[in-house]
Amino acid sequence: MRKLTRSLVLASVAGAVLAPSTAHAASPEPTTALLGTYGFGRAAVIGEAGRNAGTWESFSVRSGFAGDDLIITYRPRTTAYPAEKQVYTAAFDQVADAQAECRQVGADGVAHGVWVSFRCRTGFAPSYTLFVR
């Protein structure tokens, strides 16, 4: 009887210790939200690139008067990715101000919890690549 009681106590202690780590490891439920409004035609490019990079699961585009709204479905993050991810490159011949677009997308992602930080790296001819963590 003593061995049984001891085994039950040890099992319950182990369960109590392991339960919080199991709950912490579970990823949050997907969220669908407006990431931002970007230049006409740019939301689809950004949406496709973000899905291919694995930063969101799906996207849709809604055209408006000021540009295209990018609506994404993603899992909110509170910790950085283990390694930097390249999301997309805004090329100088595709957008009027590639640096501004890169910074806007990066900041919108941080504001919504899609990623925790970002940087825009300049490339050849003023193009900018968005990297996130």
Side-chain angles (χ1 to χ4, degrees):
M1 184 71 165
R2 265 186 152 174
K3 286 185 178 184
L4 178 63
T5 304
R6 185 174 177 206
S7 297
L8 289 174
V9 169
L10 288 175
S12 65
V13 169
V17 169
L18 294 176
S21 64
T22 304
H24 180 67
S27 61
E29 291 297 313
T31 300
T32 300
L34 171 68
L35 181 64
T37 301
Y38 309 104
F40 293 106
R42 296 301 300 158
V45 171
I46 297 164
E48 186 70 33
R51 186 180 64 202
N52 291 341
T55 55
W56 47 74
E57 298 172 10
S58 63
F59 73 95
S60 62
V61 175
R62 180 179 60 214
S63 292
F65 293 108
D68 290 340
D69 293 337
L70 177 58
I71 299 137
I72 60 170
T73 299
Y74 64 100
R75 292 185 185 273
R77 298 191 62 83
T78 55
T79 58
Y81 289 108
E84 220 172 31
K85 283 188 176 194
Q86 179 179 335
V87 178
Y88 85 108
T89 298
F92 74 97
D93 61 345
Q94 296 171 344
V95 61
D97 189 347
Q99 182 181 28
E101 182 186 83
C102 183
R103 288 181 177 167
Q104 181 184 2
V105 174
D108 289 345
V110 170
H112 287 89
V114 180
W115 42 74
V116 297
S117 66
F118 75 95
R119 73 180 175 100
C120 294
R121 183 183 73 192
T122 188
F124 294 106
S127 63
Y128 286 83
T129 301
L130 175 64
F131 292 93
V132 301
R133 293 280 324 254

